[in-house]
Amino acid sequence: MDKILPGLAMLAVAGVVFVLIAVGWRNRLKRQSDVEQLPQVPAAPGEPTAAAEGQYVTTTTAGDWLDRIAVHGLGIRTNSTLEVYPHGVLYGRSGAPAVYIPAASLTGVRQDSGMAGKFVEKDGLLVIAWTLGKHELDTGFRTRRAADKDVLYQALQELISSAPAAGATSGK
């Protein structure tokens, strides 16, 4: 009896914590229900100008690295490939839908040290700034190999500077 009551109390506390997490996530989904649908992934995207394996970290509201976007699966951290094409950027995510960002939606690229629960060394994350309808977003990616980050960063800067409606606000 001495061990049963503390065990039941711990189970109750764990249950309450999980319920609160679920309620918080559901409320975040409701709060972000005005976020537009993601652009369609092109059927035949072509040959990428740069690509790398790594981890899709998350998408947050631009400028607020803690405000994770939960809708459309954008808040799910997963292994991924990041491919840069002349027409846009494609995240091929494991266990989650692919995310395609047209070149005209890209507004900047920077290197940062963290966002929404993922913190690494200085300039260890590649963060792409983009717009989805009226929402300004930041999407983080961590390359598996450090040398790939520089190749992607350069390709993204070139894509943003050559995109028809893109802003030239990229910086390090």
Side-chain angles (χ1 to χ4, degrees):
M1 191 69 161
D2 292 346
K3 295 180 182 179
I4 293 176
L5 286 179
L8 289 175
M10 285 305 294
L11 281 174
V13 167
V16 168
V17 167
F18 284 117
V19 166
L20 290 174
I21 289 170
V23 168
W25 195 257
R26 188 191 72 216
N27 288 340
R28 180 178 293 269
L29 288 170
K30 283 182 187 176
R31 202 171 49 247
Q32 296 172 348
S33 64
D34 65 332
V35 174
E36 292 80 1
Q37 288 293 321
L38 295 172
Q40 287 291 99
V41 176
E47 194 65 33
T49 57
E53 293 180 347
Q55 183 180 57
Y56 171 91
V57 176
T58 192
T59 296
T60 63
T61 301
D64 187 354
W65 53 272
L66 289 175
D67 188 22
R68 187 185 307 255
I69 302 296
V71 295
H72 314 307
L74 291 173
I76 299 170
R77 182 178 304 160
T78 181
N79 288 330
S80 174
T81 58
L82 173 57
E83 299 172 335
V84 180
Y85 295 93
H87 52 80
V89 175
L90 179 63
Y91 290 94
R93 304 186 306 160
S94 300
V99 175
Y100 175 70
I101 306 170
S105 298
L106 299 171
T107 59
V109 62
R110 69 182 186 278
Q111 296 177 38
D112 215 330
S113 60
M115 65 190 310
K118 177 73 172 182
F119 294 91
V120 295
E121 75 278 359
K122 184 177 187 283
D123 296 339
L125 287 181
L126 196 58
V127 180
I128 297 175
W130 58 292
T131 58
L132 180 60
K134 63 180 177 159
H135 296 275
E136 295 180 10
L137 306 172
D138 287 339
T139 298
F141 184 77
R142 169 84 167 158
T143 58
R144 187 158 292 145
R145 290 171 290 285
D148 292 341
K149 182 176 50 111
D150 295 330
V151 172
L152 287 174
Y153 183 75
Q154 193 64 31
L156 286 163
Q157 281 188 320
E158 290 171 13
L159 176 62
I160 291 167
S161 65
S162 67
T169 60
S170 64
K172 189 171 184 180

